[in-house]
């Protein structure tokens, strides 16, 4: 997969992309991540990329021209046109399902904005999908773009070791993970649940599933309702 990121802050991406799974996935050519600075495509001598909103109001709006020119430039570097994803709080909520869908694309082009938002003609003109990582407002689309990259790349074949990929499927079934424990057996008086020390794998699996059901029901009624709905449809 190739992922292009169009941003005003290329440097913000460098550290998160150079550790652990994301680093290895790039080294192994599972993903190629190309960062482009939208400001390089500004045409005036101030390198202006934003302007005041028509109709008045606070803040600045990202202008069409530098974003369109930057996108056209990166598009010309690869025959695959790619799916354009615009990060903004008004977008479709990002979840594991969306991550899986995006991981099937050959190329993603993520656009991270700043200021009050994008000129609406950017979304329309680029036929972009808008994605939000949650109902809160961040200072820009960079952190959300990194979240999307991380969630997508770990789903690409070969990005994770075997052991981890098997575990990963658990969230995809819509339930939260079971609780994990490691040594020591007793930490300051709090003990590991005895079932985990029993060596009885069938009982452990049963306990873990029970924990997943209870946790999901207690902590995420929204996921729980969807889980029940899916189960009833299957019956
Ligand atoms: N830009 C600012 N806040 C955001 C959010 N919650 N999701 C995606 N992009 C954003």
């Amino acid at each position: 997969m190739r992922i292009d990121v169009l941003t005003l802050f290329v440097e913000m991406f460098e550290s998160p992309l150079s550790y652990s799974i994301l680093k290895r996935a790039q080294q192994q050519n599972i993903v190629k991540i190309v960062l482009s600075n939208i400001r390089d495509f500004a045409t005036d001598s101030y390198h202006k990329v934003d302007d005041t909103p028509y109709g008045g109001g606070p803040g600045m709006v990202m202008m069409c021209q530098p974003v369109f020119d930057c996108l056209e430039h990166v598009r010309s570097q690869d025959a695959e046109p790619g799916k354009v994803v615009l990060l903004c709080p008004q977008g479709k909520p990002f979840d594991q399902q969306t991550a899986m869908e995006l991981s099937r694309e050959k190329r993603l082009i993520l656009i991270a904005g700043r200021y009050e938002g994008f000129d609406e003609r950017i979304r329309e003109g680029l036929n972009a999908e808008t994605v939000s990582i949650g109902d809160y407002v961040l200072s820009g689309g960079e952190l959300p773009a990194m979240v999307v990259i991380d969630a997508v790349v770990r789903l690409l074949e070969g990005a994770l070791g075997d052991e981890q990929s098997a575990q990963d499927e658990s969230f995809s079934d819509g339930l939260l993970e079971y609780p994990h424990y490691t040594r020591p057996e007793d930490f300051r008086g709090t003990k590991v649940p005895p079932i985990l020390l029993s060596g009885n794998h069938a009982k452990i699996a049963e306990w873990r599933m029970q924990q997943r059901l209870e946790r999901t029901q207690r902590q995420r009624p929204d996921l729980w309702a969807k889980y029940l709905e899916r189960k009833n449809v299957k019956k």
Side-chain angles (χ1 to χ4, degrees):
M1 173 186 270
R2 170 172 169 146
I3 304 180
D4 287 275
V5 186
L6 278 52
T7 171
L8 293 170
F9 297 102
V10 165
E11 294 80 7
M12 279 182 76
F13 289 83
E14 286 166 0
S15 175
L17 296 181
S18 46
Y19 290 94
S20 181
I21 290 164
L22 290 178
K23 176 185 178 181
R24 218 179 44 228
Q26 291 173 91
Q27 284 171 340
Q28 295 177 347
N29 292 323
I30 291 168
V31 66
K32 178 179 163 114
I33 303 176
V34 181
L35 306 170
S36 301
N37 194 334
I38 298 169
R39 201 174 294 280
D40 292 344
F41 295 84
T43 47
D44 72 332
S45 53
Y46 297 103
H47 300 290
K48 192 175 159 70
V49 292
D50 60 323
D51 209 334
T52 52
Y54 277 119
M60 301 292 273
V61 176
M62 296 266 299
M63 293 158 61
C64 291
Q65 174 272 316
V67 177
F68 273 71
D69 285 357
C70 185
L71 183 93
E72 280 155 17
H73 175 77
V74 301
R75 275 239 164 104
S76 72
Q77 295 173 347
D78 197 296
E80 189 61 47
K83 182 179 183 69
V84 181
V85 176
L86 210 63
L87 286 310
C88 66
Q90 297 78 27
K92 176 180 160 218
F94 186 64
D95 58 11
Q96 192 66 20
Q97 178 65 33
T98 313
M100 286 194 283
E101 283 164 20
L102 295 180
S103 74
R104 288 182 211 116
E105 300 284 337
K106 290 198 178 76
R107 183 181 188 189
L108 294 177
I109 303 179
L110 307 181
I111 308 181
R114 279 266 147 179
Y115 317 116
E116 286 304 304
F118 296 100
D119 186 309
E120 188 61 16
R121 291 166 292 185
I122 295 176
R123 186 185 59 73
E124 288 168 3
L126 303 180
N127 191 23
E129 179 164 344
T130 53
V131 166
S132 161
I133 63 157
D135 290 339
Y136 37 80
V137 180
L138 299 166
S139 312
E142 297 80 13
L143 292 172
M146 289 180 224
V147 167
V148 170
I149 292 172
D150 192 303
V152 168
V153 170
R154 65 203 311 287
L155 294 173
L156 299 179
E157 200 172 333
L160 298 180
D162 288 346
E163 196 188 312
Q164 272 174 308
S165 53
Q167 275 181 18
D168 243 30
E169 282 161 17
S170 58
F171 192 67
S172 323
D173 68 12
L175 291 174
L176 299 180
E177 273 278 1
Y178 52 78
H180 302 280
Y181 295 88
T182 187
R183 271 175 274 276
E185 268 180 52
D186 182 327
F187 179 70
R188 299 182 180 175
T190 308
K191 296 192 175 60
V192 171
I195 183 83
L196 298 178
L197 312 173
S198 68
N200 184 335
H201 295 295
K203 284 268 177 242
I204 291 173
E206 199 180 300
W207 179 85
R208 284 179 168 165
M209 189 58 186
Q210 191 55 36
Q211 291 290 317
R212 298 185 67 206
L213 295 169
E214 282 173 22
R215 275 186 158 192
T216 309
Q217 189 169 15
R218 193 173 58 241
Q219 278 159 217
R220 293 293 303 272
D222 56 326
L223 291 182
W224 182 245
K226 278 192 210 155
Y227 173 76
L228 292 181
E229 209 175 286
R230 267 201 313 276
K231 248 181 76 168
N232 289 335
V233 170
K234 271 191 200 153
K235 266 185 197 159

